[in-house]
């Protein structure tokens, strides 16, 4: 009984350390949960994606094809924030944009194919020491600036945090992600950057996915996926 109780407590603690990105904050206004963000499969479990070849890598949707009820209007050059209960694991933060093609809307676009452009990534400080720090550690919200040089139109904005505490083994990295629906105005166009697909952009053996976080202290960290787009 004691062993089973301990196991249950450990499982509960693990679930509490998991997280979602259910809402956007823009110009100080927070959306309702799953109002401008597509409902993710981990809505209740908070669990991660661990297979980078899974179709869930696109937007981790609970109901693919349903979309979120609303699309958020934003201005190019402004900042969009995702709310979260807290990022409790170490690892990098990425943001990607996918432009909605003609004939589709942000609500019904499935985000499939090579349509995603990376617009942000971060990395750790303290490389070569036992005190790595990540910019997103313990954050309850994470933000990204929409590049001024994007085209006007509707987009999916994908937030992704990769937890690396168990990433020394293949399949040990935990990916937490969501897609918001946004409508951009005021953009100049001309953004440059590689377009990638999810799934497809990452491999399980990429050095930024399979990563020894603790010992020996890592000397470098290479973010998975393409370089950040430029104007």
């Amino acid at each position: 009984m004691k062993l089973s109780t301990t196991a249950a407590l450990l499982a509960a603690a693990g679930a509490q350390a998991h997280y979602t990105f259910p809402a956007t904050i823009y110009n100080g206004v927070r959306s309702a949960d799953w109002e401008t963000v597509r409902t993710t499969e981990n809505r209740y479990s908070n669990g991660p994606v661990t297979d980078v070849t899974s179709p869930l890598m696109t937007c981790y949707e609970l109901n693919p094809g349903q979309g979120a009820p609303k699309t958020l209007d934003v201005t190019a050059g402004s900042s969009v924030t995702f709310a979260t209960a807290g990022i409790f694991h170490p690892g990098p933060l990425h943001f990607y944009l996918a432009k909605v093609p003609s004939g589709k809307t942000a609500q019904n676009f499935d985000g499939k194919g090579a349509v995603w452009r990376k617009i942000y990534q971060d990395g750790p400080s303290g490389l070569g020491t036992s005190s790595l720090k990540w910019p997103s550690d313990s954050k309850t919200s994470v933000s990204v600036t929409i590049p001024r040089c994007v085209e006007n139109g509707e987009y999916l904005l994908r937030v992704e945090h990769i937890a690396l505490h168990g990433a020394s083994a293949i399949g040990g990295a935990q990916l937490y992600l969501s897609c918001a629906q946004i409508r951009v105005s005021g953009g100049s166009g001309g953004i440059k950057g590689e377009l990638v697909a999810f799934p497809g952009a990452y491999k399980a053996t990429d050095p930024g996915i399979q990563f020894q976080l603790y010992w020996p202290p890592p000397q470098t960290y290479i973010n998975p996926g393409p370089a950040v787009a430029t104007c």
Side-chain angles (χ1 to χ4, degrees):
M1 177 67 74
K2 184 175 181 180
L3 286 174
S4 62
T5 301
T6 301
L9 289 171
L10 288 172
Q16 289 171 358
H18 296 166
Y19 34 98
T20 62
F21 297 95
T24 54
I25 303 169
Y26 187 69
N27 287 339
V29 178
R30 189 191 192 281
S31 73
D33 286 359
W34 317 116
E35 180 180 36
T36 56
V37 178
R38 294 181 174 187
T39 304
T40 52
E41 190 171 285
N42 67 340
R43 175 178 182 173
Y44 299 113
S45 71
N46 293 346
V49 178
T50 56
D51 177 4
V52 296
T53 68
S54 167
L56 295 174
M57 282 289 291
T58 310
C59 286
Y60 205 178
E61 290 178 81
L62 177 64
N63 300 302
Q66 182 170 302
K70 294 184 179 180
T71 297
L72 178 69
D73 286 299
V74 306
T75 303
S78 66
S79 178
V80 178
T81 298
F82 282 80
T84 180
I87 294 178
F88 303 116
H89 294 309
L93 181 72
H94 301 134
F95 287 92
Y96 289 84
L97 269 180
K99 189 160 193 314
V100 175
S102 177
K104 296 286 186 179
T105 68
Q107 189 172 35
N108 62 29
F109 177 43
D110 63 9
K112 299 300 184 184
V115 295
W116 296 95
R117 191 173 267 126
K118 186 187 281 183
I119 60 170
Y120 176 87
Q121 67 181 22
D122 65 22
S125 60
L127 286 164
T129 75
S130 58
S131 300
L132 254 62
K133 300 292 183 184
W134 301 81
S136 57
D137 285 349
S138 301
K139 295 288 188 182
T140 55
S141 65
V142 291
S143 302
V144 67
T145 298
I146 304 301
R148 294 184 180 277
C149 56
V150 299
E151 297 178 9
N152 294 335
E154 295 192 352
Y155 289 82
L156 297 181
L157 175 60
R158 180 180 180 276
V159 60
E160 171 192 275
H161 184 258
I162 305 177
L164 297 174
H165 57 291
S168 59
I170 290 178
Q174 298 179 355
L175 290 91
Y176 299 89
L177 59 111
S178 289
C179 290
Q181 299 169 181
I182 65 173
R183 183 181 299 109
V184 179
S185 61
S188 64
I191 192 169
K192 303 176 183 68
E194 181 183 356
L195 291 170
V196 298
F198 286 105
Y202 302 162
K203 299 189 299 293
T205 54
D206 284 345
I209 299 290
Q210 186 182 10
F211 182 73
Q212 175 52 258
L213 180 66
Y214 298 110
W215 190 263
Q219 302 297 311
T220 60
Y221 180 75
I222 301 171
N223 293 75
V228 174
T230 60
C231 288

